Amino acid sequence: QGHMHIDYTKNDYLGLLTYSDSLAMHQRRVLENVQKKIKEVSPNTKLIYLIAPNHSSVYPETIPDWMQKMKNPRMKSRLEVMTEVMADSHVTFLNPTDYLRSKKNDGEYDEFRLYNKTDSHWTELGAYYAYVRIVTDLGQTPYSLSEFTRETVSDEFFGTTWSFAGIPFVSPDEMELFRFENDGDYTV
């Protein structure tokens, strides 16, 4: 399907790279200590911890069938482990995987535009939907997508996954800016 998956994100999705319970609990304690320190100086500040899900977790259907067979159903991705460990924490933890999966086929947009095909990072649209998830969790109303003008600034982007593999027949991704009224000029 034209998607490239870097080993560590694919292996994380397949459950081959996971966090131990002790490491996940350590991360939870660190986050809770950070929240405590923030509250000491700014009582109304809310710490939100969001881990961006990897490309393979949002688009598992793009992983070849022979790799899918390697997935161990008893093993969880690092994000799944952290989601479970943070469930009853006073730190707000957001796992946007299901939300992003629900948006990947949304409206007029190419279903594979939340993550670049040649990269392990999300696109500008993927980042927008993460912003929507965060702002909504804060009880605010996010800017709607229609309030932005999407401007393609490159149609020759080859991401980190492509850089590692260097496969010449893979087509490049596009990069966009989300412009809004009265924003500044940018050089890319």
Side-chain angles (χ1 to χ4, degrees):
Q1 296 185 5
H3 283 249
M4 301 178 77
H5 295 273
I6 198 162
D7 271 349
Y8 69 85
T9 62
K10 172 195 52 88
N11 289 340
D12 182 47
Y13 166 75
L14 293 174
L16 304 174
L17 294 176
T18 191
Y19 282 153
S20 66
D21 290 341
S22 62
L23 178 58
M25 285 304 295
H26 172 75
Q27 288 184 302
R28 174 185 166 147
R29 284 189 299 275
V30 167
L31 291 169
E32 289 173 343
N33 285 334
V34 168
Q35 176 69 60
K36 181 180 175 185
K37 296 290 183 191
I38 289 171
K39 291 285 187 186
E40 288 172 5
V41 294
S42 182
N44 295 324
T45 300
K46 181 178 184 179
L47 175 64
I48 296 177
Y49 187 62
L50 178 144
I51 299 176
N54 63 50
H55 183 165
S56 303
S57 295
V58 175
Y59 291 103
E61 67 277 9
T62 65
I63 296 176
D65 290 340
W66 66 270
M67 283 187 196
Q68 290 281 4
K69 292 176 183 169
M70 297 167 48
K71 185 166 177 61
N72 183 340
R74 294 188 315 269
M75 299 301 290
K76 296 179 176 126
S77 72
R78 293 172 291 178
L79 181 53
E80 291 169 325
V81 171
M82 285 303 298
T83 300
E84 288 178 5
V85 166
M86 296 297 293
D88 61 349
S89 175
H90 62 273
V91 172
T92 300
F93 179 80
L94 300 179
N95 177 348
T97 305
D98 290 337
Y99 182 70
L100 289 172
R101 284 179 182 163
S102 77
K103 293 298 182 184
K104 70 183 179 184
N105 296 315
D106 193 24
E108 64 186 86
Y109 303 109
D110 178 340
E111 70 175 301
F112 296 115
R113 289 295 297 146
L114 298 182
Y115 283 77
N116 291 302
K117 292 180 285 188
T118 66
D119 198 35
S120 61
H121 301 92
W122 52 30
T123 62
E124 296 76 14
L125 183 61
Y128 167 78
Y129 284 126
Y131 148 78
V132 168
R133 179 73 171 86
I134 293 167
V135 170
T136 302
D137 188 75
L138 289 170
Q140 304 296 316
T141 303
Y143 289 104
S144 72
L145 196 54
S146 64
E147 294 180 71
F148 295 92
T149 301
R150 294 171 69 177
E151 177 183 331
T152 299
V153 295
S154 174
D155 59 1
E156 299 177 0
F157 175 72
F158 289 99
T160 54
T161 308
W162 182 89
S163 298
F164 291 140
I167 301 172
F169 57 83
V170 174
S171 60
D173 289 303
E174 291 182 353
M175 291 191 77
E176 296 179 302
L177 284 178
F178 279 37
R179 305 300 302 256
F180 57 94
E181 190 175 334
N182 298 321
D183 68 355
D185 289 329
Y186 299 93
T187 302
V188 178

